[in-house]
């Protein structure tokens, strides 16, 4: 329920351009107007973020990918027959490729978490 604040006082707070952009961005991330965001901060009221469904989906996909890679590594390292068929050089190459995938996935996870 929104209250009408047009009859109240207006405070002027000088900020630099980069600060204004950052404040507006944070307010948007919290799903609030800039005025409501600053009012909540100024009054010591909690400012909570909005649920980011895209980020949750990205994290879910990354989690599935991590599970897939982990299972693949586990199969390679626990299956003696497969190890003997692949040979040491091929196995080393495959594990190197999987580790490169893990690094890419870690970068994706970090970018997603920072966005949230």
């Amino acid at each position: 329920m929104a209250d009408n604040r047009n009859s109240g006082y207006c405070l002027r707070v000088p900020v630099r351009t980069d600060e204004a952009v950052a404040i507006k961005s944070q307010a948007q991330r919290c799903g609030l107007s800039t005025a409501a965001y600053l009012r909540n901060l100024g009054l010591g009221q909690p400012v909570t973020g909005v649920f980011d469904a895209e980020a949750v989906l990205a994290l879910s996909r990354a989690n599935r990918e991590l599970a897939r890679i982990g299972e693949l590594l586990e199969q390679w390292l626990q299956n003696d027959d497969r190890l003997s068929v692949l040979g040491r050089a091929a196995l080393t190459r495959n594990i190197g490729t999987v580790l490169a995938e893990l690094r890419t996935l870690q970068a994706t996870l970090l970018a997603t978490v920072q966005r949230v």
Side-chain angles (χ1 to χ4, degrees):
M1 177 162 98
D3 57 359
N4 186 354
R5 297 202 180 252
N6 291 334
S7 60
Y9 293 100
C10 183
L11 300 176
R12 184 179 175 278
V13 180
V15 294
R16 294 188 318 263
T17 303
D18 60 321
E19 293 171 333
V21 169
I23 290 169
K24 288 178 183 180
S25 174
Q26 289 287 42
Q28 185 179 27
R29 286 180 64 181
C30 293
L32 298 170
S33 68
T34 304
Y37 176 76
L38 291 174
R39 184 180 313 108
N40 287 349
L41 287 176
L43 295 173
Q45 296 174 353
V47 179
T48 57
V50 174
F51 181 72
D52 188 348
E54 288 181 29
V56 170
L57 287 175
L59 289 172
S60 175
R61 283 191 297 270
N63 185 44
R64 284 193 307 270
E65 192 67 14
L66 280 172
R68 182 189 68 80
I69 291 170
E71 289 170 8
L72 183 61
L73 281 172
E74 183 180 3
Q75 287 176 1
W76 281 343
L77 297 174
Q78 287 184 350
N79 191 338
D80 290 336
D81 295 334
R82 185 163 182 118
L83 288 175
S84 62
V85 171
L86 283 176
R88 190 171 197 79
L91 182 62
T92 302
R93 257 192 327 275
N94 288 344
I95 290 175
T97 301
V98 169
L99 290 176
E101 278 187 54
L102 277 173
R103 286 186 198 98
T104 302
L105 191 53
Q106 285 175 332
T108 302
L109 281 171
L110 179 61
T112 303
V113 168
Q114 287 175 339
R115 195 178 77 219
V116 175

